[in-house]
Amino acid sequence: MDAERTASPRGESSHSPRDAALGCAVDTLREALAPAVLLVQALPIDDTCVTLEPAQLVPAVHVLIHQCGLYHLSAITADDTGDGISLLYHFWDGHGLTLRTVLPAEQPVIATLTDLIPGASFYEREAAEMLGVTFEGAAPAGPLLLPDDWDGPPPLLRSAPEQEAAP
Amino acid sequence: MSRMTIPIGPQHPALKEPLCFMLTLEGEQVVESALRLGYVHRGLERLCQQRNYIQNVHLVERVCGICSHTHTTTYCQAVETLLGLELTRRAQYVRTLMCELERIHSHLLWLGVLAEHIGFTTVFMYAWRDREIVLDIMEALSGGRVAHAVNTIGGVRVDLDAARARSILAQLAELERQMDVFLGVIEHERTFRARTRGVGHLSPEQVRQYCVVGPVARASGISVDLRRDAPYLVYDELDFEVITAEGGDVLARTQVRVLETLESLGMCRQLLEGLPESPLATRAPRRVPAGEVVSRCEAPRGELLYYMRSDGSDRPARVKVRTPTLTALITLPDQLRGVNTADVPTVLAGVDLCIACADR
């Protein structure tokens, strides 16, 4: 389980302060949350993926923001992999850092990040609509992308039927 | 004073794309606003899972009608990374050239839209007239004005000879001369400055909190640009400045975008003058090895992210698209708070919204 930062083809040398920040981030996460960091792996292109227990997500983001100054959340990907719902929180600061956590498909519930990162709200609402993830503590809001009268299952779940294209 | 809530949209008086705002007004001032997306949601992420990798190139080109080339660039970069394909030099140059031409097109289009919304029809006409120059270039190169189909997995599909490169250089020189008009407007035109200064203000702190990207972030003094900070294609070989401004308002965003257009013109010149000789594309297999990739590019509106997971078949198992407009939309309630009703279109136009991108 070594943090193998693969040699990046993208001229890392010119961004040393940011490199340091990111190296700090992975090390600090390990120190602060030792048993909860399940796996650290390189993710192309130029990203490091840290897998965590769902309960450790908010503490981990707290560490990233307050100890490492890493505050830019690019996106949240929710993905129904067949072994539960994966949530990937893509951070970026010159290089990528992705926090991954896997929720059980029967009851995908996780704490909201919007208290720490207000910019996470649209990404969480999208994951809620498209894959049925519940973000505890998020402000209640109507649908963002789906129609008001949508009564099907969350459309990005594997179990959701494929829609025929309109003629 | 009594409050009044007015729905604006989805068929929008200010924007050409559907978006719904509930504006709560107190007299002339906006006190609260709520936003509803989804009127052009096409389920593109799911559609990507139902098509093979090469079909998806044409599908993701249609996420957006303005930054279509950046979408295929980010998508192809993800697939090529999973395949371990190295692009030829010429393919990288042509791809980068189209990215910068598209940025010029996008910024000029935006300038026209903003000018129209503040009632400055002359600049609207000039900006869109001059945008035709860059659209002509892209049409001559690819056959399409906005959907270019230049990218393919493993390279590009169009080429240009020395005569074409010379004629593009002449067209770009003409466009560069025209840019003086817009620089003059930003610096000296009193009405334009009065309508945009202090409007739609975002502080650097708000930019950080909302994770805003691109020209909107740079106009609030945050110097961030993937072309410099995480260079892809051949950006690390090009000489350019990352433009920032301190104002954080629509005026600063105009300054940033107009100066960025000039930087992009300079980049296009460097690319055309240094175009290397090599084949255009490498052959790509249909099946993609299992794996995951996070691909980022600097679209005209800022960081564009594609996450892709492959299960080893000829179709992606998951494609996630995060477009830069989403980061700008989320700031709108803050930007609109306290502005006059007459300035609402200026605020909306100022962030350069692409609703098709946001809805996907």
Side-chain angles (χ1 to χ4, degrees), chain A residues 5-155:
Chain A
R5 296 291 314 286
T6 48
S8 155
R10 300 184 150 198
E12 276 186 38
S13 53
S14 53
H15 308 292
S16 44
R18 288 196 148 118
D19 277 349
L22 207 74
C24 143
V26 175
D27 292 342
T28 318
L29 277 179
R30 276 175 191 278
E31 261 173 49
L33 311 162
V37 175
L38 303 175
L39 180 66
V40 180
Q41 62 194 141
L43 188 63
I45 310 167
D46 198 20
D47 214 292
T48 308
C49 181
V50 178
T51 307
L52 296 164
E53 294 284 359
Q56 295 304 315
L57 179 80
V58 172
V61 174
H62 204 273
V63 168
L64 290 185
I65 294 174
H66 295 287
Q67 295 186 32
C68 311
L70 193 65
Y71 56 84
H72 180 71
L73 176 67
S74 299
I76 303 174
T77 300
D79 184 6
D80 183 5
T81 58
D83 305 317
I85 309 279
S86 287
L87 286 181
L88 290 94
Y89 293 76
H90 306 285
F91 287 85
W92 185 84
D93 184 18
H95 302 284
L97 176 70
T98 295
L99 300 182
R100 184 202 308 262
T101 185
V102 182
L103 308 177
E106 328 54 88
Q107 212 188 0
V109 180
I110 193 157
T112 178
L113 275 192
T114 47
D115 300 331
L116 288 167
I117 303 176
S121 76
F122 276 14
Y123 310 144
E124 289 188 353
R125 286 172 67 182
E126 190 178 331
E129 278 176 50
M130 297 297 168
L131 284 115
V133 179
T134 305
F135 291 90
E136 276 185 335
L144 183 70
L145 291 169
L146 291 179
D148 289 328
D149 58 355
W150 177 265
D151 60 357

Side-chain angles (χ1 to χ4, degrees), chain A residues 9-11 14-15 18 41 43-47 71-81 88 90-92 94-98 100 117-123 125-126 130-131 143-148 155-163, chain B residues 35-39 41 45-47 49-51 77-78 81-82 207-213 222-226 228-233 236 292-296 303 305 307 309 311 315 317-318 320-323 326-327 329-330 358-360:
Chain A
R10 300 184 150 198
S14 53
H15 308 292
R18 288 196 148 118
Q41 62 194 141
L43 188 63
I45 310 167
D46 198 20
D47 214 292
Y71 56 84
H72 180 71
L73 176 67
S74 299
I76 303 174
T77 300
D79 184 6
D80 183 5
T81 58
L88 290 94
H90 306 285
F91 287 85
W92 185 84
H95 302 284
L97 176 70
T98 295
R100 184 202 308 262
I117 303 176
S121 76
F122 276 14
Y123 310 144
R125 286 172 67 182
E126 190 178 331
M130 297 297 168
L131 284 115
L144 183 70
L145 291 169
L146 291 179
D148 289 328
L156 275 178
L157 285 180
R158 287 168 154 240
S159 54
E162 288 195 3
Q163 301 275 328
Chain B
L35 175 73
R36 171 76 157 95
L37 293 171
Y39 298 99
H41 176 63
E45 292 180 5
R46 177 83 191 216
L47 289 175
Q49 297 172 22
Q50 298 169 9
R51 281 159 180 75
Q77 178 173 276
T81 305
L82 287 173
V207 166
R208 285 201 188 92
Q209 283 187 341
Y210 288 116
C211 306
V212 181
V213 296
I222 306 278
S223 177
V224 59
D225 191 325
L226 284 151
R228 179 200 60 197
D229 300 333
Y232 53 99
L233 293 174
D236 51 352
E292 292 172 289
V293 56
V294 182
S295 174
R296 289 177 167 93
E303 176 198 36
L305 178 142
Y307 164 84
R309 180 168 62 83
D311 56 7
R315 296 173 177 197
R318 175 82 170 100
K320 163 77 189 171
V321 186
R322 200 288 267 119
T323 56
L326 273 176
T327 70
L329 278 170
I330 203 168
D359 280 0
R360 287 153 289 141

Side-chain angles (χ1 to χ4, degrees), chain B residues 113-189:
Chain B
V113 172
L114 175 77
E116 195 205 6
H117 284 167
I118 61 179
F120 202 155
T121 312
T122 317
V123 165
F124 160 59
M125 294 283 184
Y126 280 177
W128 281 38
R129 179 196 66 189
D130 297 339
R131 165 178 165 259
E132 286 300 314
I133 298 174
V134 72
L135 285 177
D136 284 347
I137 295 173
M138 289 197 283
E139 188 176 7
L141 280 173
S142 71
R145 281 160 60 90
V146 289
H148 315 294
V150 162
N151 281 327
T152 186
I153 297 165
V156 291
R157 298 172 59 253
V158 304
D159 200 3
L160 63 167
D161 56 15
R164 172 76 70 205
R166 273 197 305 278
S167 83
I168 296 177
L169 282 168
Q171 285 168 293
L172 292 176
E174 187 195 339
L175 183 54
E176 192 157 3
R177 279 194 298 278
Q178 306 287 4
M179 293 303 293
D180 284 345
V181 175
F182 306 124
L183 286 171
V185 166
I186 299 172
E187 275 177 37
H188 306 299
E189 171 55 47

Side-chain angles (χ1 to χ4, degrees), chain B residues 57-79:
Chain B
V57 178
H58 302 280
L59 185 62
V60 299
E61 178 130 30
R62 280 146 185 84
V63 172
C64 178
I66 301 168
C67 52
S68 50
H69 178 77
T70 317
H71 275 276
T72 55
T73 299
T74 320
Y75 170 85
C76 288
Q77 178 173 276
V79 182

